[in-house]
Amino acid sequence: MSPDEYCQQKTVQSGSSFYYSFLFLPPERRRAITALYAFCREVDDTVDECTDQSIARIKLAWWRTELANMYAGAPTHPVTQALQPHLTVYNLQEQHMQAIVDGMEMDLDQTRYLDYTAMKRYCWHVASVVGILSASIFGVSNPKTLEYAEQLGLAFQLTNIIRDVGEDARKGRIYLPVNELQQFGVTAADLLNARHSDKFENLMRFQTERAQKIYDEAFALLPKEDRRAQRPGLMMAAIYRTVLDEIERDNFHVLSQRISLTPLRKLWLAWKTYIRG
């Protein structure tokens, strides 16, 4: 199996909504974004699938070294071997790649966030910086596009937090800010024990309205000249916002189930966004 094939398999197996937007890219850009996504999956799995935190830290340290090796031209892992040829072409910065590893390590250090500012910092490391790297691969002619990508990454991660609140709680992680839980009268025990209530619905409606606002703010930042190149991100946004709509339509029953779209619906949303240009 070649490095590119390894990354393709990793991406397809994840079942991610992102995969559907990659299908519409030219081959070289598709290979680059697939390798980037596979890297994100590898380091995320390091934390999620490792029950021993000390071993997870050792593995993340290995990835830090492997990134340095990649930028020095000597990658050893299939993912970094696939990604390495694209670093200069798309101006993928090592500081951004390392920031992703920092974000994964935050999951080992912290399971609660006091306020939105603290949660937003976590989101920057695990999502906004990925947005910046992805936008660079899609094509950027106006620096303002990277501001759009950073904001869009935040919106994506806020959507993930809303969708996965029950699943994350079962892993012992609560990303919703502590002060906002208190504001709406929802306790950590409510989340851990999947206690759905009117208070919980009000909390999640607040979270959803903020996420939707950030999507709108992101779109307002996207320069017209880069809109066509950035269509993959817009496709992802169409899928993610539809997930948010479905969650709200279901009255935020996310504590005991994971609301998602069918592959066909994701592909349809991606296609509709693509043909709009």
Side-chain angles (χ1 to χ4, degrees):
M1 187 185 296
S2 71
D4 283 333
E5 288 169 341
Y6 178 93
C7 293
Q8 175 72 10
Q9 185 181 75
K10 188 82 177 177
T11 303
V12 172
Q13 287 175 343
S14 74
S16 170
S17 300
F18 292 91
Y19 170 72
Y20 296 91
S21 66
F22 301 167
L23 298 173
F24 295 85
L25 284 166
E28 185 182 355
R29 294 185 194 273
R30 186 166 65 244
R31 284 193 292 271
I33 194 65
T34 301
L36 174 64
Y37 183 79
F39 166 75
C40 293
R41 289 260 39 98
E42 289 283 352
V43 292
D44 189 45
D45 290 347
T46 293
V47 174
D48 280 351
E49 297 178 2
C50 190
T51 55
D52 188 325
Q53 284 201 5
S54 61
I55 293 175
R57 290 183 193 279
I58 290 169
K59 288 184 176 182
L60 288 178
W62 183 90
W63 275 110
R64 293 185 194 283
T65 302
E66 179 64 8
L67 284 176
N69 290 340
M70 178 178 71
Y71 279 90
T76 61
H77 192 280
V79 165
T80 45
Q81 288 173 345
L83 192 54
Q84 197 271 334
H86 306 290
L87 300 178
T88 302
V89 176
Y90 300 118
N91 192 29
L92 306 179
Q93 300 294 313
E94 182 177 0
Q95 65 188 32
H96 289 146
M97 297 295 296
Q98 294 284 2
I100 297 171
V101 183
D102 291 341
M104 302 308 169
E105 193 162 35
M106 288 173 74
D107 273 332
L108 300 177
D109 295 332
Q110 197 168 350
T111 58
R112 303 287 190 276
Y113 292 88
L114 182 61
D115 52 27
Y116 178 61
T117 299
M119 182 179 76
K120 190 176 176 181
R121 177 174 170 269
Y122 168 77
C123 292
W124 186 87
H125 280 87
V126 299
S128 292
V129 72
V130 179
I132 292 168
L133 289 163
S134 299
S136 299
I137 291 171
F138 299 151
V140 173
S141 61
N142 185 329
K144 196 84 174 173
T145 298
L146 296 181
E147 295 179 31
Y148 142 83
E150 184 175 3
Q151 193 78 339
L152 188 62
L154 171 60
F156 286 156
Q157 190 59 27
L158 293 179
T159 304
N160 285 340
I161 288 170
I162 292 165
R163 181 195 63 196
D164 299 339
V165 63
E167 185 179 328
D168 289 334
R170 287 189 288 276
K171 295 176 183 175
R173 298 177 192 155
I174 297 175
Y175 296 106
L176 299 176
V178 171
N179 67 339
E180 292 175 4
L181 290 173
Q182 293 170 342
Q183 178 185 340
F184 287 91
V186 177
T187 67
D190 291 335
L191 304 185
L192 296 171
N193 294 297
R195 288 197 289 259
H196 188 92
S197 66
D198 290 344
K199 291 178 180 179
F200 176 76
E201 287 186 20
N202 291 335
L203 168 66
M204 298 311 289
R205 190 168 289 106
F206 173 80
Q207 302 295 326
T208 298
E209 288 172 357
R210 177 164 59 200
Q212 295 283 22
K213 182 170 179 278
I214 290 171
Y215 278 112
D216 291 337
E217 290 172 355
F219 297 151
L221 288 167
L222 178 59
K224 186 176 180 181
E225 62 266 31
D226 280 343
R227 181 179 173 84
R228 189 173 181 84
Q230 295 298 319
R231 279 185 298 184
L234 298 174
M235 292 179 209
M236 295 179 216
I239 293 169
Y240 264 59
R241 292 192 94 167
T242 301
V243 169
L244 267 186
D245 291 341
E246 289 295 328
I247 290 171
E248 187 165 15
R249 193 172 293 118
D250 194 50
N251 292 319
F252 306 101
H253 282 91
V254 288
L255 289 172
S256 55
Q257 65 179 354
R258 191 177 196 264
I259 294 174
S260 60
L261 309 180
T262 64
L264 184 60
R265 192 173 180 193
K266 290 176 184 177
L267 187 60
W268 171 243
L269 288 166
W271 172 249
K272 279 205 307 182
T273 306
Y274 180 81
I275 61 175
R276 283 176 190 154

